[in-house]
Structure formats: structure tokens, C-alpha cells
Amino acid sequence: MLRSRLLRGLRLALPMAALLFVAPPMSGCKKANLVELEVPASGVELRYDLQPGATFDGKILRRETLSSRGQQLNRSLSFTVQLVVRGLDEKGNALVAATIANIDIDWVVPGMPMSMDEFAQKSKQRLEGATIRFFVEPSGRVFDVPSAPPELSDPEAQVLDSVLEGLTSAFFVVPEEKLAGGGTWENSDTRGREGKLGKYIVETNRGALEGMFEDTEANFSFAQLGIERDRTETTTTKDGSSEIRVRETTTVQFDTGANYLRSLESKMTRTQGPTVTTVRFQADWERGASSPVAADMGGGDAPPADAGAGDAAANGDASVQRIDDPCSDDYVGPDDCLDPCSVNYMGEEACEKAEDGAGEAPAEGAPAEDAAAPAE
């Protein structure tokens, strides 16, 4: 699924890499209110300050276009989220509770046995007010995101997966090192064995500190970064191989005073055979007033089971589907798949069961797992 693929992609993205251009500040800030600041000689270190009780209000919008063999599918999803930091673990990772509201769905799902208006209304009733828990590292890497509970219908699970993907995309994984004025960074990574059974991934991230600015009207300062991602994923089976190519550009505004992500805009194009998926994503955050919270380190394992699950989901009352196998397509977590015969294996060992057809890939042109295809 897209969500699990995205999280695995985030593990590959540290540190990110360098753009060859400097873009103007994003549309979220009016240029008339912006004053360019000098980057400190010691550089800028970006880290999230997620203390217990901190609250953040977010707006998330995702628009997707999928084109294949002359046919086109358009979908959009937007929602607001109130995020509360519930506690910190011994490593400083924050357990956050995200409550979803104001869901707006405009989807076309081929073969849907109900009207789209009915589908959208039913999905809103099931998911509006739901609270989802997961962990965020100080770098912004997200982990332990729950899967959809099995009692949800397939369309409802797709909507929940899209919401989860939107939440995880709304966190930017910051560079590990300090950034100097005009500083750029680049990272290339390969996983798996080229030309062998299984997956072989080549990913390059390029980024730049495009500048520091002060919004004189809103009274905050931010660092603006630009990132380009180039990823090629080749899956090889005994019957042949298929390739997925991802190109993505992202612009980030990170509040350097309050230490959190102010806004993120990205455009991703994903190509698999004749299928091209384009996704435009926008996330905006504002820090709210802190509130006292009770320590709650129970883990992020409770998405909603029914309409308005809300705090019941956060308290673990809903049925939960936990995926503990790192080789599962739906696994979300830090561990790598260790089975050489799985298509999700990225190690160096050969599959001794290759002759039995283990590790086969989806057919060329099938909807991609980390694309915004109908099964996101």
C-alpha cells in the first residue's frame, strides 16, 4: 500500500539532497509581508519540538490524476486535523493523537455499487471525528501508523488509507546536518541486487536551503527548502521485470522559532508502464495553545472502527489489525524484510525457492502500491 511504501521511502530519504535553483517563497506567505534574513554563519539546524501537550492544527489537501491507455481518473481528498502530543518515549519520540474532521471527498471509483454521493457521505460518517495515534521522531520520521481495521468495507478502507497517507506526508524528514547559507545536500541509495530476483531500488534526493525569511504580518521566521526526489524501482521475477519511476519536487517552510513544519507543497509523477499518476499535495500547520495531557504511550494502533470513533479509537476500543511481518505489503515499521523470496526483500541473498515462482511481481501496468491508484 502507498502508506507503507511511503514510510519505507522516508527511511531512505535521510539526509535529502540538492536543488540547482532557488525558488521564491510559497504562496502561503504574501511576498509583501516577507523580509529575507541572513542565514547564521553557524548554519541552521532543523528539528521538531514536540513536547507533551503541544497542539497543532493542520489542513491537508491531496489531488490525484491517474491516466492509462486514454482513460483518466481524477480524485481529491481534503480534511483538517488537530494533532496533540500525548507523550514522549525514552528515545524522545513523540506519541501524537490526530483527530480528523471536515473530510471532503471527490472520488471516482470504477465499479462502485453505489452513487458517489452516497459513498462520500458514508465515508464521512464512518471517519469524521476519528482519532489516530502514531509516533514521530525529532527528525520528522513517522512510524507505527495503524492499518485499517478489517470491518471497514474496501472503499472505506481506501479512504482511511488516503487519510493516513495524508497524515504521514504532512511531516517532512529534516536533514541530519546543519544547513549553511546556500547549502545543498545530496544522497543516493540503492537497495537490493540489480538484475536478480526481487526488488532493486535506486533513489537520489537533492535539496537546497533556498533562504530564510520573516513574515512580518504573522510574526514568524522560517527556512525554505527545495527538494527533488528521483526513484526507480525494478521488480524482477522468473517471467521478467517491471519498472516504476517516481519524480517528485517539494517545497518546505519550516518555522525556525517554534521548530515545526509550517507548510509543504509537492508534485509527484509516477510512471509504471502505460499508467501515469500525478499527485499534488499541500499541508499547512499552525501551532495551537498547549494543554496538559496524561502520559499515554500505548502506541499508534487504533484507527476508527465506526462512525465518529474519535476518542474511543484513541483509547484502543476499536478492533485493530496489526501487521507484524516486515515482508507484508501493509507492514509499517523500522524492520526490513529478511525473506530473500519476498518481492519486498532488498538484501543480498539469493532466493533458493525461485523455481517455485516465489517473489513474483504484479503484472505490468497494474496499479502501483505506492501510487495514488484506486487501492491507496
Side-chain angles (χ1 to χ4, degrees):
M1 281 186 167
L2 171 58
R3 176 173 44 77
S4 58
R5 293 287 173 247
L6 171 68
L7 293 176
R8 290 175 184 173
L10 286 177
R11 295 209 302 271
L12 295 176
L14 283 176
M16 312 257 210
L19 285 176
L20 302 179
F21 62 90
V22 175
M26 293 161 58
S27 58
C29 297
K30 299 179 181 178
K31 289 185 179 181
N33 300 327
L34 295 181
V35 176
E36 187 167 3
L37 304 176
E38 184 176 352
V39 179
S42 59
V44 180
E45 183 177 24
L46 304 180
R47 286 293 182 272
Y48 287 80
D49 182 14
L50 300 175
Q51 297 300 317
T55 65
F56 300 87
D57 296 314
K59 297 179 181 179
I60 295 172
L61 171 63
R62 188 178 189 276
R63 292 192 178 98
E64 165 198 4
T65 300
L66 187 149
S67 302
S68 182
R69 305 185 189 279
Q71 296 185 337
Q72 183 167 297
L73 176 71
N74 296 304
R75 307 200 306 188
S76 68
L77 172 70
S78 65
F79 59 92
T80 61
V81 55
Q82 184 179 66
L83 187 146
V84 179
V85 181
R86 303 295 300 172
L88 299 176
D89 67 12
E90 65 279 1
K91 296 181 179 180
N93 303 316
L95 172 64
V96 300
T99 302
I100 307 302
N102 301 308
I103 299 174
D104 187 9
I105 306 167
D106 185 5
W107 278 17
V108 175
V109 181
M112 176 72 67
M114 66 180 77
S115 71
M116 291 311 302
D117 289 342
E118 182 183 354
F119 163 72
Q121 185 61 32
K122 185 176 180 181
S123 297
K124 284 175 60 69
Q125 289 175 348
R126 293 278 279 173
L127 302 176
E128 190 83 12
T131 297
I132 302 163
R133 297 187 299 172
F134 52 93
F135 282 89
V136 183
E137 294 181 353
S139 67
R141 189 183 78 86
V142 175
F143 67 99
D144 204 12
V145 179
S147 298
E151 62 267 25
L152 291 183
S153 67
D154 286 344
E156 291 168 343
Q158 289 180 31
V159 174
L160 178 56
D161 278 334
S162 294
V163 169
L164 292 170
E165 189 273 340
L167 283 174
T168 57
S169 296
F171 287 87
F172 171 69
V173 182
V174 297
E176 293 179 327
E177 306 298 332
K178 284 187 175 182
L179 301 177
T184 61
W185 66 100
E186 179 171 345
N187 173 256
S188 294
D189 193 6
T190 61
R191 304 192 70 187
R193 298 189 302 165
E194 187 173 10
K196 304 298 182 180
L197 292 177
K199 287 187 180 181
Y200 177 65
I201 294 175
V202 179
E203 179 166 328
T204 301
N205 293 275
R206 304 178 181 90
L209 174 61
E210 297 176 343
M212 293 189 64
F213 303 87
E214 179 183 2
D215 186 321
T216 56
E217 181 175 310
N219 193 30
F220 71 91
S221 301
F222 64 90
Q224 179 161 304
L225 298 87
I227 301 94
E228 286 184 339
R229 182 167 72 105
D230 189 333
R231 177 185 173 95
T232 302
E233 179 180 309
T234 303
T235 301
T236 302
T237 72
K238 66 177 183 178
D239 296 323
S241 63
S242 61
E243 182 178 89
I244 299 170
R245 301 192 68 188
V246 176
R247 304 291 181 268
E248 185 174 25
T249 59
T250 303
T251 303
V252 167
Q253 290 181 354
F254 196 93
D255 192 314
T256 52
N259 296 315
Y260 73 97
L261 178 68
R262 278 274 180 174
S263 63
L264 181 152
E265 287 184 4
S266 68
K267 178 182 179 180
M268 183 271 287
T269 300
R270 185 182 189 284
T271 305
Q272 182 182 19
T275 302
V276 178
T277 303
T278 302
V279 177
R280 294 182 179 272
F281 183 82
Q282 171 78 42
D284 296 288
W285 292 97
E286 289 187 1
R287 186 160 194 153
S290 296
S291 60
V293 296
D296 178 4
M297 302 305 297
D301 58 355
D306 37 45
D311 290 336
N315 293 329
D317 295 336
S319 298
V320 176
Q321 178 187 14
R322 292 195 64 92
I323 306 298
D324 298 318
D325 180 8
C327 294
S328 168
D329 285 343
D330 298 332
Y331 174 74
V332 176
D335 299 326
D336 291 325
C337 174
L338 301 179
D339 180 3
C341 294
S342 169
V343 295
N344 294 319
Y345 177 69
M346 296 182 186
E348 299 298 324
E349 298 181 26
C351 173
E352 297 180 356
K353 300 179 182 178
E355 64 275 9
D356 296 330
E360 296 197 5
E364 179 76 16
E369 289 178 342
D370 66 60
E376 48 175 326

